[in-house]
Amino acid sequence: GKFDEALQIFTSLTQAYPADPKGHFFVALTYRWLTRIDPESSRYQKDFERAAEKAKRVAKSLLDKDKTNVEAMLYLAATYGYRAEYYNFLKNRWDKAYDDGVKMRKLLEKAENFSAPDTTIDVQLGYGLYNYYAYVYRKRIGRWRFLFSLPKGDKKKGIELLHTVREKGTYLNVE
């Protein structure tokens, strides 16, 4: 992949628009992909954690000013979702993964309530990712899903939702 180029582009976004969560989120997402390629790299892990925390702070700051800011909700939910996946599968921190997963779901539900009809499709990104990963990692999630009454995943539904968001979404159609 072109991770160095992506980091350069997304970092320039954070410098040009420091109060916009998009650039910060995509920096975090790039580092998350790098931790998948090199899961032993403590540098990538620290960079991901730092970037995710920054994306979270920026999105929360926007929500402090406007509790109905759907874009901030979506990027905050996505940050929690990817951080939950990171804690779950790389760090084996089920407690943190669960906490972030719950926060993600609540934000998605809230965003759905405040969304204009043409942007509700973007909320489906989180549901698509949940369905896909909950199915793919169902054996690993097993007892936790039962204990916390988490919905089962559905890989096909997850992929369908992700394709729909990519094709029809407002904020995330290029991801």
Side-chain angles (χ1 to χ4, degrees), residues 4-19:
D4 290 336
E5 185 180 333
L7 284 170
Q8 186 177 27
I9 291 167
F10 298 139
T11 300
S12 70
L13 278 175
T14 67
Q15 293 165 347
Y17 306 100

Side-chain angles (χ1 to χ4, degrees), residues 87-88 91-101 144 148:
Y87 284 137
N88 187 10
K91 296 301 219 175
N92 294 311
R93 290 294 312 267
W94 292 92
D95 55 336
K96 288 186 174 193
Y98 176 75
D99 286 344
D100 278 357
W144 295 101
F148 295 117

Side-chain angles (χ1 to χ4, degrees), residues 16 29 55 77 90 95-96 99 135 137 139 145 150 166 172:
L29 186 58
L90 187 64
D95 55 336
K96 288 186 174 193
D99 286 344
Y135 178 82
Y137 296 113
K139 289 180 182 170
R145 190 185 58 73
L150 300 172
R166 187 186 71 212
L172 303 168

Side-chain angles (χ1 to χ4, degrees), residues 49-65:
E49 291 171 8
R50 180 187 44 74
E53 185 61 31
K54 180 67 175 178
K56 185 179 90 169
R57 277 196 318 270
V58 169
K60 280 185 164 187
S61 175
L62 291 175
L63 288 170
D64 287 343
K65 295 172 189 162

